[in-house]
C-alpha cells in the first residue's frame, strides 16, 4: 500500500522535520508527502476552498482518503491499524491522509473522505500533527505485523 500525507503548509528544517524523517525511515510502506499553500486568497472560506482544490488535485483518483478533522472519529491506535489492515487486505493501493490548515478542511475534502478522524479534543500545531500522524502509521504497521513497538 502506498501512503501519502497531503497537508497544508510546509515542514522546514527543525525538530518537526527531524521527527518526520525518523518515522518516515521506519515505514515499510512507500510514503509520499504533498505540501500545498494557498496564496493570494482572502477570507477563511475562500482559503479553505483553495487549499481543498490544491490538495484534491494531487490525490490519485483511486485513493482512499482519510481526513483529519476535530469533529472526526476518535479511534485507538489498534482500531486505526485494523482499518488500515482491512483496506490493505481489500486491495487498496493508495491511502491518502489529508491534514488541513489552521482553519480546517473544506467540506469538499470531508465529503470525499472514506474516514474522518480526530486527534482528540486538544489543539495541536499542524506540523506536529503531521509527525504524530506519521508515528501512528508506523504504529499501525507494527500492530499489523505483531511487532512489540505497540504495547
Amino acid at each position: 500500500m502506498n501512503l501519502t500525507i497531503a497537508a497544508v503548509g510546509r515542514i522546514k528544517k527543525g525538530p518537526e522535520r527531524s521527527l518526520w524523517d525518523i518515522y518516515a525511515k521506519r515505514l515499510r510502506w512507500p510514503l509520499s508527502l504533498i505540501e500545498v499553500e494557498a496564496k493570494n486568497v482572502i477570507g477563511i472560506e475562500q482559503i479553505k476552498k483553495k487549499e481543498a482544490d490544491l490538495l484534491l488535485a494531487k490525490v490519485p483518483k483511486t485513493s482512499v482518503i482519510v481526513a483529519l478533522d476535530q469533529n472526526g472519529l476518535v479511534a485507538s491506535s489498534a482500531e486505526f491499524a485494523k482499518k488500515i489492515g482491512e483496506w490493505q487486505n481489500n486491495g487498496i493501493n493508495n491511502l491518502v491522509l489529508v491534514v488541513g490548515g489552521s482553519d480546517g478542511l473544506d467540506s469538499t475534502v470531508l465529503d470525499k473522505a472514506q474516514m474522518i478522524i480526530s486527534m482528540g479534543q486538544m489543539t495541536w500545531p499542524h506540523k506536529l500533527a503531521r509527525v504524530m500522524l506519521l508515528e501512528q502509521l508506523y504504529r499501525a504497521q507494527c500492530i499489523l505485523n505483531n511487532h512489540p513497538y505497540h504495547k
Side-chain angles (χ1 to χ4, degrees), residues 45-98:
E45 293 307 315
Q46 291 81 3
I47 291 169
K48 287 170 53 174
K49 178 67 172 129
K50 179 65 172 178
E51 290 169 348
D53 291 345
L54 292 169
L55 289 165
L56 292 173
K58 304 227 180 207
V59 173
K61 301 291 183 225
T62 59
S63 299
V64 165
I65 297 174
V66 175
L68 271 70
D69 184 82
Q70 65 183 4
N71 298 313
L73 170 71
V74 178
S76 70
S77 297
E79 292 166 334
F80 187 51
K82 181 179 177 185
K83 190 64 182 172
I84 291 172
E86 289 172 8
W87 284 324
Q88 189 171 354
N89 292 338
N90 289 328
I92 298 301
N93 293 321
N94 296 305
L95 178 60
V96 179
L97 300 107
V98 183

